[in-house]
Amino acid sequence: MASLTGAWAQPAPSINSGGIVNAASSAPGAPVAPGSIASVYGNFLLSAPSWALGIPLPTSLGGLSLAFGAVEAPLLYASSGQVNLQIPWELAGQPPAVTATLAGQTSAPQTVNLAPFAPGIFSMNGQGTGPGAILDSSYHLVTATNPAAAGITVILIYCTGLGAVTNQPETGAAAPSNPLAVTITKPSVTIGSVPAQVLFSGLAPGSVGEYQVNALVPSNAPTGDAVQVILSIGSATSNAVEIAVQPPTPDQRADQLLTQMTQDQKIQLVYGAVGTATASTRGGAGWVPGIPQLGIPDLYLADGSVGVGNGVGPATALPSSIASAASWDVSEAYKYGSVIGAELRAYGMNVNLGGNVNLIGREPRDGRTFETKGEDPILAGKITAAHINAIQAQHVIGGIKHFALNDQETGRTTADVRIDERGMRESDLLAFEIGVKDSNVQSVMCSYNLVNDVYACENQHLLNDILKGDWQFPGFVMSDWGATHSTVAAALAGLDQEQPDNAFFGSLAQAVASGQVPQSRLDDMVHRILRAMYATGLFDYPAAITPIDTTGDQAIAQDAEEQGAVLLKNAGGQLPLNAAAAKSIAIVGSHADVAVLSGGGSAQVTPTGGPALTEGYPCPPCWAQVIWDPSSPLQAIRAMAPNATVQFDPGTNPATPAALAAASQMAIVFVSQWTSEGMDLPSLNFTDAIHSPPIDQDALVAAVAAANPHTIVVMENAGAQVMPWLGSVSAVLEAWFPGQRGGEAIANILFGAVNPSGKLPITFPASVNDLPRPVIATPPDSTTPFPVDYSEGFNVGYKWYDSQGLTPLFPFGFGLSYTTFSFSNVAVVNNPTSGNPNFQVTFKLTNTGYVAGAEVAQVYLAFPASTGEPPKRLVGWQKVFLQPGAAEQVTIEVDANDSSHPLSYWDVNSNAWLIAPGVYTVYLGNSSSSASLVTAGTLQIGS
Ligand code: BGC
């Protein structure tokens, strides 16, 4: 008889229908493979979850077991609703069904969809979607914050279901690490649908049921934060998970290439091959042969401060770099740099040796002044950065030089510059710091001279501490030509490449072999050179030799001169000349009938069309030829004034031009001052280094001015000049070395087709006696280091004259226009309570004259006296073009975090830029002279 009262019966555990899933992909009903991890869902009647505590895995957790026929499965985890298990390796002969047993009761069997392969990739959300459990070889998750590098990164894919392996462990036992268990069938992997090379596929050592597949992210994989990774094996395909992929960084590419290089190949890259048996087929100043087997291109090095130098080929002779600085316009400077970059590239040159940012305001007689960007570190740094950015955009490694304090040519290889830390940080080094940081420049040339008793190219403090340490410069340091003085000391101090030969780094291999230079240092040198090549695209965009764009580049040359020429004097509105009214014009001097002058030395450009004229080899420097660029001011002036009689006198004897001037309506005297690398000027007067006997150009101007009150002087020179005749002439135009479209540009300015807007990037002192060193320090002989005392520290240029109370002939920032401007509604805006010291100067700028023109609004800052800073520092500017009568509301932003440290001083105690509390005065105007500045406001920083 059936009992009606039977006791309550313990239910048996149950497994959901279709409740066995691949643990990685979590796809219901999807197959699972022997050896893999699976999850089983059901009602397992456990009161508390239970975990396996070790390997080998238990076959029972909390009394629950799961079995495939007679084979019990190893368990990782069990709860009332879920069990994670390893599908036993050995299922042959067992039913494809699983049962759960608890307390002697067994569930109904549930069919398992078994397959030899059931790939699933583990994901971070446990659902088999989104970011995958995929690591890089440093075992970091590959996500948006740690993307894989296409072509570089090997990813470790953690997955399951890849079937039988060699060296197969017991069911439930740990995967062996030696020898590794490798899958019998190799899976394939796609990353963003692109097949990836599989480097390893096997069990993840130490795990149970988990596989690891190592795959190289293909170089052509798509990039992004969610690139799908899919694995297939046999005919089975996994779920899709995501990784982040980015193009490889230059550092990653360099590191990868480095691993393939032999020691000899590494050594080959750290010095120039000039003077060896083979030679560069492309000319230039230097050459480093590449390594074709590894795809490493040759490095072809050429100067390019004012156009492509070294006689590489006829190139556009731009106006001087200092003229580019005189534009005070970084977008103009970018165009200037783009000509250099494009023409270097067209000649197959891929390393530029330009970027001369030496602050020659310390020594305006410096023969290389024309290559530089003037005396102010901020203006010079920003203009140089614009040049370099433009050059590197053409896939040419940009350079910045000469690091550091190479501010005179006299005794340049033995000059021992003495300067205090703060002085150099806030002057010459600041120009480099801005140039380096704002341009991502990839090479720095260390200089010939010594700094505080140590040669610059083995100067640990300059190279390792400051450049590579404080500024985090990632590129390479090359020596100036022959500026290396040691092997071990230079290598350890941070020199990465000797130029132009291997006089010292030829011994580097031995120095590494003997342990004097660590292998890691050699690897770092090579890494830096390769990363520079990658960063500027030398591998990806190899130079193809093409014709240069003569027309386009000459147009930029002319524009650069028109923007950079500075009108210094214009008494009685002498300029612009009235073409219609001009009847007779005397043109005098400086070969103005055929040419304009250019500067000499390594920056010398061979102009397209060839020089108009060449003259001797003045001594010093005794090796540089004088080249006159083919642009005739006479012809350009004639074209402007077709109704005037325009006559030329060479000016070699003051009497004849004076007579011509007397007989003419007006006279335009061209004075010129040739300078070159390898020499300094004997004075700030217009001396004549070219001719013997020299032409006394000061006397020439005086004679012409005495004969005609309408005398205009056009100066073709490098930098600051004194002008004893200034009071007797009516107008003066500083044309610098004006480049091969200089004649046209000068004529355009003289006749008002262009309104001058250049501003001096260098102070013109009243006398050579006002310089920090009226007499240039000279060496005792050619080998003994001699001191050059820079005790003026950061007081360079206008800061020096301000600090000494000296009134210059023309102040820094000065330049006239054919129109007039007014500043109104001037205010300083800041937010002192925010703790952020940034400020803006706001004002209305109005063109109050009758012609369109541009003004350069300049902001200077006076620091609290407690800081000991110079009386004022340029901290910002803006060039604004306005139609006559037009006005514009202008804001100049001064950001304390800018690379120029506009609100900071260098604190020697903390070795850092600091902002001092106190009251700051903000000035606004159109030159550094106090007379041209208004107080825009004051700032209180801190308490
Ligand atoms: C100059 C460098 C120049 C190098 C290669 C040296 O004499 O000082 O500025 O880049 O030659 O021409």
Side-chain angles (χ1 to χ4, degrees):
M1 190 172 108
S3 166
L4 298 174
T5 58
W8 174 82
Q10 163 84 30
S14 62
I15 299 176
N16 297 348
S17 158
I20 298 125
V21 303
N22 183 314
S25 64
S26 300
V32 292
S36 294
I37 314 261
S39 293
V40 176
Y41 296 95
N43 184 4
F44 301 115
L45 309 172
L46 290 180
S47 52
S50 179
W51 286 266
L53 298 176
I55 295 174
L57 298 178
T59 51
S60 167
L61 280 177
L64 179 76
S65 60
L66 264 64
F68 294 79
V71 180
E72 291 195 320
L75 305 182
L76 292 108
Y77 166 79
S79 70
S80 60
Q82 178 180 353
V83 178
N84 295 346
L85 67 151
Q86 182 188 27
I87 310 283
W89 284 111
E90 204 39 80
L91 286 178
Q94 302 298 324
V98 63
T99 55
T101 301
L102 179 71
Q105 303 205 70
T106 299
S107 72
Q110 279 296 341
T111 305
V112 179
N113 185 359
L114 275 176
F117 305 116
I121 305 176
F122 290 99
S123 67
M124 299 312 293
N125 65 6
Q127 304 302 308
T129 57
I134 294 184
L135 307 183
D136 63 18
S137 48
S138 311
Y139 300 103
H140 294 126
L141 262 184
V142 180
T143 58
T145 49
N146 178 43
I152 302 266
T153 304
V154 172
I155 55 170
L156 318 183
I157 305 167
Y158 290 95
C159 53
T160 191
L162 304 189
V165 292
T166 60
N167 194 27
Q168 192 160 292
E170 294 287 309
T171 290
S177 54
N178 186 21
L180 291 168
V182 178
T183 57
I184 307 283
T185 306
K186 201 174 180 191
S188 41
V189 171
T190 61
I191 299 177
S193 301
V194 179
Q197 188 189 352
V198 173
L199 304 166
F200 170 77
S201 163
L203 292 175
S207 73
V208 177
E210 191 179 38
Y211 293 72
Q212 177 182 329
V213 174
N214 298 354
L216 174 66
V217 178
S219 55
N220 57 343
T223 55
D225 288 347
V227 177
Q228 289 197 330
V229 178
I230 299 175
L231 225 157
S232 19
I233 185 164
S235 57
T237 296
S238 78
N239 55 318
V241 296
E242 295 160 1
I243 58 168
V245 179
Q246 289 301 326
T249 63
D251 286 308
Q252 288 171 321
R253 295 176 78 180
D255 277 340
Q256 193 195 37
L257 190 50
L258 200 56
T259 61
Q260 302 166 30
M261 294 175 74
T262 65
Q263 191 78 337
D264 285 351
Q265 289 171 330
K266 292 176 184 176
I267 291 285
Q268 184 182 323
L269 294 188
V270 300
Y271 49 70
V274 168
T276 57
T278 45
S280 160
T281 50
R282 299 184 184 172
W287 177 52
V288 180
I291 302 166
Q293 313 87 286
L294 296 176
I296 301 176
D298 295 19
L299 293 179
Y300 296 98
L301 292 66
D303 283 286
S305 285
V306 300
V308 178
N310 314 122
V312 164
T316 303
L318 292 160
S320 300
S321 258
I322 199 167
S324 178
S327 73
W328 289 62
D329 186 337
V330 288
S331 53
E332 275 292 326
Y334 190 92
K335 286 194 255 170
Y336 183 99
S338 69
V339 171
I340 298 172
E343 294 195 2
L344 282 168
R345 185 170 167 75
Y347 278 113
M349 297 286 129
N350 54 18
V351 184
N352 173 240
L353 309 173
N356 187 335
V357 76
N358 293 132
L359 277 200
I360 40 54
R362 272 186 205 287
E363 183 42 79
R365 292 161 294 192
D366 183 298
R368 305 189 77 167
T369 301
F370 71 98
E371 296 179 39
T372 72
K373 303 9 179 232
E375 71 187 24
D376 180 80
I378 303 181
L379 180 66
K382 299 282 177 191
I383 295 288
T384 299
H387 291 173
I388 293 168
N389 276 317
I391 289 166
Q392 293 199 157
Q394 302 286 336
H395 308 303
V396 172
I397 293 175
I400 192 166
K401 69 186 185 184
H402 309 81
F403 193 64
L405 292 138
N406 182 183
D407 297 334
Q408 72 174 47
E409 287 296 281
T410 306
R412 66 176 174 170
T413 57
T414 47
D416 182 3
V417 166
R418 308 280 172 84
I419 186 167
D420 68 296
E421 182 74 15
R422 180 173 174 186
M424 65 177 170
R425 291 275 191 167
E426 293 192 24
S427 62
D428 291 59
L429 296 194
L430 180 56
F432 277 98
E433 181 175 357
I434 298 165
V436 166
K437 290 183 175 173
D438 285 17
S439 74
N440 199 20
V441 69
Q442 292 300 319
S443 78
V444 171
M445 185 189 291
C446 51
S447 55
Y448 286 120
N449 52 290
L450 302 89
V451 176
N452 293 329
D453 295 339
V454 184
Y455 278 109
C457 289
E458 56 188 51
N459 197 308
Q460 164 86 17
H461 186 50
L462 285 180
L463 304 182
N464 278 345
D465 298 349
I466 297 177
L467 177 67
K468 294 179 176 178
D470 293 350
W471 302 346
Q472 292 288 295
F473 169 66
F476 67 104
V477 176
M478 71 167 77
S479 70
D480 200 343
W481 269 227
T484 310
H485 292 272
S486 58
T487 308
V488 175
L492 296 181
L495 180 67
D496 300 305
Q497 190 180 68
E498 181 181 6
Q499 288 294 353
D501 52 26
N502 65 359
F504 290 95
F505 278 10
S507 313
L508 199 56
Q510 292 100 293
V512 173
S514 67
Q516 288 172 289
V517 172
Q519 178 68 38
S520 58
R521 175 66 191 113
L522 174 63
D523 288 349
D524 176 50
M525 295 175 180
V526 179
H527 170 96
R528 286 171 173 276
I529 295 163
L530 292 174
R531 79 89 62 199
M533 298 170 74
Y534 281 119
T536 32
L538 266 53
F539 285 86
D540 303 330
Y541 306 92
I545 295 178
T546 57
I548 64 169
D549 176 9
T550 309
T551 311
D553 292 352
Q554 288 196 11
I556 294 174
Q558 182 172 333
D559 186 47
E561 173 61 11
E562 290 172 352
Q563 299 301 316
V566 184
L567 183 61
L568 293 176
K569 179 173 182 182
N570 193 15
Q574 169 79 60
L575 296 177
L577 300 175
N578 182 337
K583 296 282 177 286
S584 56
I585 308 174
I587 309 286
V588 178
S590 297
H591 302 297
D593 52 338
V594 289
V596 291
L597 188 55
S598 68
S602 56
Q604 179 75 62
V605 176
T606 304
T608 49
L613 193 71
T614 56
E615 289 178 304
Y617 290 81
C619 214
C622 321
W623 51 269
Q625 190 169 39
V626 179
I627 289 188
W628 293 83
D629 287 333
S631 173
S632 159
L634 177 69
Q635 276 176 29
I637 289 167
R638 281 191 175 141
M640 278 287 178
N643 302 325
T645 307
V646 186
Q647 288 175 276
F648 178 72
D649 184 287
T652 42
N653 167 3
T656 53
L660 177 65
S664 305
Q665 205 179 5
M666 67 192 86
I668 306 174
V669 186
F670 286 78
V671 289
S672 49
Q673 174 73 67
W674 186 77
T675 68
S676 170
E677 177 186 345
M679 64 175 276
D680 291 323
L681 291 169
S683 79
L684 291 174
N685 287 75
F686 278 93
T687 52
D688 177 4
I690 304 173
H691 306 105
S692 182
I695 300 170
D696 184 344
Q697 298 181 89
D698 285 340
L700 174 67
V701 177
V704 173
N708 190 322
H710 303 294
T711 292
I712 298 150
V713 177
V714 177
M715 309 199 303
E716 295 173 17
N717 61 308
Q721 298 282 164
V722 292
M723 308 169 201
W725 34 258
L726 183 63
S728 62
V729 302
S730 54
V732 179
L733 180 67
E734 172 57 88
W736 315 107
F737 297 138
Q740 72 178 104
R741 296 279 287 192
E744 293 78 359
I746 290 166
N748 276 346
I749 292 172
L750 294 179
F751 286 89
V754 168
N755 186 355
S757 60
K759 304 281 181 182
L760 291 181
I762 184 169
T763 308
F764 283 28
S767 158
V768 78
N769 295 323
D770 292 349
L771 296 177
R773 280 160 297 283
V775 177
I776 299 180
T778 49
D781 54 47
S782 61
T783 53
T784 314
F786 66 102
V788 180
D789 173 20
Y790 287 166
S791 55
E792 76 276 19
F794 50 59
N795 278 324
V796 179
Y798 62 91
K799 296 166 188 167
W800 166 256
Y801 303 103
D802 279 357
S803 70
Q804 303 301 302
L806 295 166
T807 305
L809 186 61
F810 292 107
F812 172 82
F814 174 80
L816 298 171
S817 167
Y818 295 150
T819 189
T820 49
F821 297 92
S822 77
F823 294 91
S824 55
N825 301 345
V826 181
V828 170
V829 183
N830 74 330
N831 185 358
T833 54
S834 70
N836 176 348
N838 294 358
F839 67 93
Q840 293 104 36
V841 181
T842 63
F843 55 93
K844 189 167 125 184
L845 184 68
T846 308
N847 181 344
T848 49
Y850 300 101
V851 289
E855 178 62 298
V856 178
Q858 302 163 35
V859 176
Y860 294 86
L861 190 63
F863 283 58
S866 62
T867 60
E869 282 296 286
K872 60 179 176 287
R873 281 167 44 180
L874 179 73
V875 291
W877 71 89
Q878 193 163 320
K879 190 167 188 174
V880 184
F881 181 86
L882 289 171
Q883 293 297 331
E888 188 173 314
Q889 188 64 34
V890 182
T891 300
I892 297 178
E893 173 91 33
V894 178
D895 177 358
N897 292 319
D898 188 72
S899 59
S900 60
H901 305 290
L903 287 162
S904 309
Y905 69 97
W906 181 260
D907 179 54
V908 285
N909 297 319
S910 56
N911 219 26
W913 290 96
L914 293 187
I915 298 179
V919 178
Y920 293 68
T921 308
V922 183
Y923 299 102
L924 175 69
N926 61 2
S927 91
S928 65
S929 138
S930 301
S932 65
L933 295 170
V934 295
T935 301
T938 56
L939 294 172
Q940 170 78 49
I941 295 182
S943 45

